[in-house]
């Protein structure tokens, strides 16, 4: 089958590698135009653009619907993975077999921009990937295939993205085979729908009045984008790799116990293995403790 992939982020790379080594033909990739990034605001290519260049795959960065349509109409199937743009129905229908999407949740749970993070934040015990036929709704199209993945209670969104990108590549090849054989997708259930809204930096601020379990879930969900953060002596600081402890402290209270950094919540304390001070690199909490010169009464938040 002649394929094209419209994708932008790093999580698409496993699928691209799988397609490239499959019996199918990857005609080209489509990605977002280069964007200003960093302090210098220099133009930066997407992860998919860099991958295409390193593998000598044709890469397009269309600026208009007409340009996208002209490209899509030349292939059998379009696959989208975090492309970053809502496509029109004409664009979706242009390929011979239409367009499918690799989504990182068990639809209809967690439709939207941040399904991986929201699953961890909610304390879900299982998630997975869904391959579905795209329509004009927000992740509402009929489903070709789902694959489930059990969640450990200490997994972060960074780790889960890695696991699901590998699982998604496997699911994608199976779904293409189903389409080749004339298989039809199944409409999504109307029950169990949840929304995975995009995460703002403000939302990622830790509220130490929450419970230890809630804080652990939110910190792991927001690691490392945008990063769970709090304030310390008037500056912001990011925290990651939490663990619920048995010691009880007041919300936001900092305590060093057996060389571990513990912080109080509304229930028991939470320890953190790594810290990223504002404007500095990520360091282990022991190194931060040695340099912070903590004083009695120091708090987060």
């Amino acid at each position: 089958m002649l394929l094209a992939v419209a994708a932008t982020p790093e999580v698409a790379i496993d699928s691209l590698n799988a397609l490239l080594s499959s019996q199918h033909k990857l005609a080209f990739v489509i990605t977002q135009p280069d964007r200003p990034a960093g302090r210098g605001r220099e133009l930066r290519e997407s992860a998919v653009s860099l991958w295409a260049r390193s593998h000598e795959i044709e890469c397009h960065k269309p600026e208009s619907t007409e340009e996208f349509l002209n490209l899509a109409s030349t292939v059998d199937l379009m696959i989208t993975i975090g492309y970053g743009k809502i496509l029109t129905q004409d664009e979706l229908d242009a390929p011979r077999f239409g367009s499918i999407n690799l989504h990182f949740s068990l639809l209809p749970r967690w439709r939207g921009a941040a399904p991986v993070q929201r699953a961890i934040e909610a304390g879900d015990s299982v998630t997975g990937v869904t391959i579905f036929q795209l329509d004009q709704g927000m992740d509402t199209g009929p489903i070709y295939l789902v694959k489930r993945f059990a969640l450990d209670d200490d997994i972060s969104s960074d780790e889960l993205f890695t696991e699901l990108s590998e699982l998604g590549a496997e699911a994608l090849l199976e779904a293409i085979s189903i389409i080749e054989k004339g298989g039809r997708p199944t409409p999504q259930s109307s029950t169990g729908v949840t929304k995975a809204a995009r995460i703002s930096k403000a939302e990622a601020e830790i509220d130490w009045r929450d419970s230890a379990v809630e804080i652990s879930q939110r910190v792991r969900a927001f690691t490392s984008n945008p990063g769970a953060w709090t304030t310390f002596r008037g500056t912001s600081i990011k925290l990651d790799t939490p663990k619920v402890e048995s010691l009880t402290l007041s919300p936001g209270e900092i305590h060093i116990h057996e060389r571990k950094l513990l912080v109080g919540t509304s229930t028991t304390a939470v320890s953190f293995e790594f810290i990223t001070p504002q404007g500095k690199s990520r360091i282990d909490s022991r190194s931060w403790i040695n340099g912070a010169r903590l004083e009695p009464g120091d708090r987060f938040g």
Side-chain angles (χ1 to χ4, degrees):
M1 188 178 286
L2 187 62
L3 308 173
V5 174
T8 298
E10 183 75 26
V11 292
I13 301 303
D14 281 334
S15 292
L16 289 167
N17 287 331
L19 293 173
L20 192 61
S21 61
S22 72
Q23 74 272 28
H24 305 291
K25 170 65 176 178
L26 181 58
F28 53 83
V29 298
I30 298 174
T31 193
Q32 290 293 297
D34 300 353
R35 306 293 189 195
R39 293 183 178 180
R41 306 304 292 166
E42 295 181 358
L43 289 178
R44 183 175 298 173
E45 294 178 79
S46 72
V48 168
S49 176
L50 292 169
W51 178 90
R53 188 147 50 83
S54 68
H55 290 82
E56 298 182 341
I57 299 296
E58 191 176 324
C59 181
H60 297 275
K61 304 172 184 180
E63 299 273 8
S64 68
T65 296
E66 181 181 8
E67 190 177 354
F68 192 101
L69 273 170
N70 289 337
L71 291 166
S73 62
T74 65
V75 297
D76 294 325
L77 182 68
M78 178 69 69
I79 300 159
T80 67
I81 311 170
Y83 177 48
K85 181 180 181 294
I86 297 175
L87 301 174
T88 67
Q89 194 63 53
D90 285 344
E91 289 172 307
L92 298 177
D93 293 341
R96 179 185 172 198
F97 293 104
S99 303
I100 60 174
N101 177 256
L102 167 57
H103 185 76
F104 296 111
S105 82
L106 299 175
L107 292 173
R109 186 162 178 81
W110 303 126
R111 293 175 177 171
V116 168
Q117 296 93 328
R118 297 303 181 188
I120 295 175
E121 181 188 19
D124 289 359
S125 61
V126 64
T127 186
V129 297
T130 302
I131 309 293
F132 69 97
Q133 184 177 20
L134 281 163
D135 59 18
Q136 282 292 275
M138 177 60 75
D139 303 326
T140 57
I143 294 171
Y144 279 107
L145 183 71
V146 298
K147 283 188 176 292
R148 299 166 70 85
F149 183 84
L151 293 178
D152 294 332
D153 59 9
D154 62 350
I155 197 167
S156 71
S157 60
D158 287 349
E159 294 165 336
L160 185 52
F161 269 118
T162 297
E163 297 287 354
L164 294 185
S165 65
E166 295 174 1
L167 186 64
E170 176 186 324
L172 192 56
L173 293 179
E174 290 185 29
I176 294 170
S177 178
I178 291 171
I179 294 169
E180 276 189 311
K181 295 173 182 176
R184 303 298 300 169
T186 302
Q188 284 192 40
S189 172
S190 59
T191 61
V193 176
T194 55
K195 301 296 180 65
R198 193 177 303 278
I199 298 162
S200 67
K201 182 179 178 181
E203 184 185 1
E205 182 178 8
I206 301 168
D207 186 343
W208 299 107
R209 296 168 298 181
D210 289 339
S211 72
V213 170
E214 289 170 329
I215 288 172
S216 173
Q217 289 170 180
R218 289 173 64 82
V219 170
R220 290 183 289 106
F222 300 155
T223 301
S224 57
N225 185 22
W229 62 279
T230 188
T231 55
F232 176 71
R233 295 176 182 169
T235 64
S236 64
I237 188 168
K238 291 183 179 180
L239 304 169
D240 70 84
T241 320
K243 181 182 178 181
V244 176
E245 304 284 352
S246 58
L247 190 69
T248 300
L249 304 168
S250 64
E253 180 184 355
I254 298 173
H255 180 72
I256 310 304
H257 178 68
E258 297 179 349
R259 300 187 67 190
K260 292 194 297 186
L261 173 67
L262 275 65
V263 187
T265 75
S266 67
T267 54
T268 59
V270 177
S271 63
F272 297 91
E273 289 190 27
F274 294 95
I275 289 180
T276 307
Q278 184 174 332
K280 297 183 180 179
S281 299
R282 179 175 180 259
I283 57 174
D284 64 85
S285 59
R286 291 183 180 180
S287 298
W288 181 82
I289 291 166
N290 292 337
R293 301 180 185 275
L294 294 172
E295 300 175 359
D298 275 339
R299 309 179 70 84
F300 282 147

